[in-house]
Amino acid sequence: MDERQALAAFAALAQEHRLRLVRALVTAGPAGLASGVLADAVGVSAASVSHHLKELSHAGLVASRREGRSILYSAAYPALSDLIAFLMRDCCQGHPAVCAPVVAALSTCECATGEIAHA
């Protein structure tokens, strides 16, 4: 991820409903969620959630796919991982204790321990 992509991602996330949408999608896992479910989860109208999902999609943070008559949205995990890596790429400067809290936080995720439920 380059600086331009990181700026676009951070700009998209710099709005409370969009940040909540991404967090809901990360929690939902690869199966994703329909926009109506997301609207309810975040507490916004269907029209508003559509606008926010479009912004997140343009930033590369959300993917969509059609299943029957529904469109399901999911977190773009590679882009989110790249964003975290962009921030932490030059971490530590020879002092691993600086990055230890981030590594510890990520290691407590269910996915890091293989305990995530797959749909």
Side-chain angles (χ1 to χ4, degrees):
M1 174 170 286
D2 62 26
E3 188 172 283
R4 180 190 55 79
Q5 293 167 315
L7 286 169
F10 284 121
L13 291 170
Q15 200 282 340
E16 68 180 301
H17 296 123
R18 287 185 221 143
L19 182 60
R20 289 179 188 162
L21 285 167
V22 169
R23 293 194 66 189
L25 289 171
V26 167
T27 301
L33 296 169
S35 62
V37 174
L38 283 166
D40 290 342
V42 175
V44 297
S45 69
S48 182
V49 82
S50 178
H51 165 74
H52 292 308
L53 288 168
K54 181 182 83 169
E55 293 296 319
L56 291 166
S57 180
H58 284 179
L61 300 175
V62 169
S64 63
R65 69 184 184 286
R66 183 172 290 283
E67 283 193 11
R69 297 188 330 170
S70 297
I71 297 176
L72 298 179
Y73 295 88
S74 57
Y77 292 101
L80 292 169
S81 295
D82 287 348
L83 187 57
I84 293 168
F86 175 83
L87 285 175
M88 302 304 293
R89 183 174 301 133
D90 300 318
C91 181
C92 305
Q93 294 187 6
H95 305 285
V98 172
C99 294
V102 174
V103 173
L106 290 172
S107 70
T108 63
C109 295
E110 290 178 355
C111 57
T113 60
E115 297 172 12
I116 195 166
H118 297 283

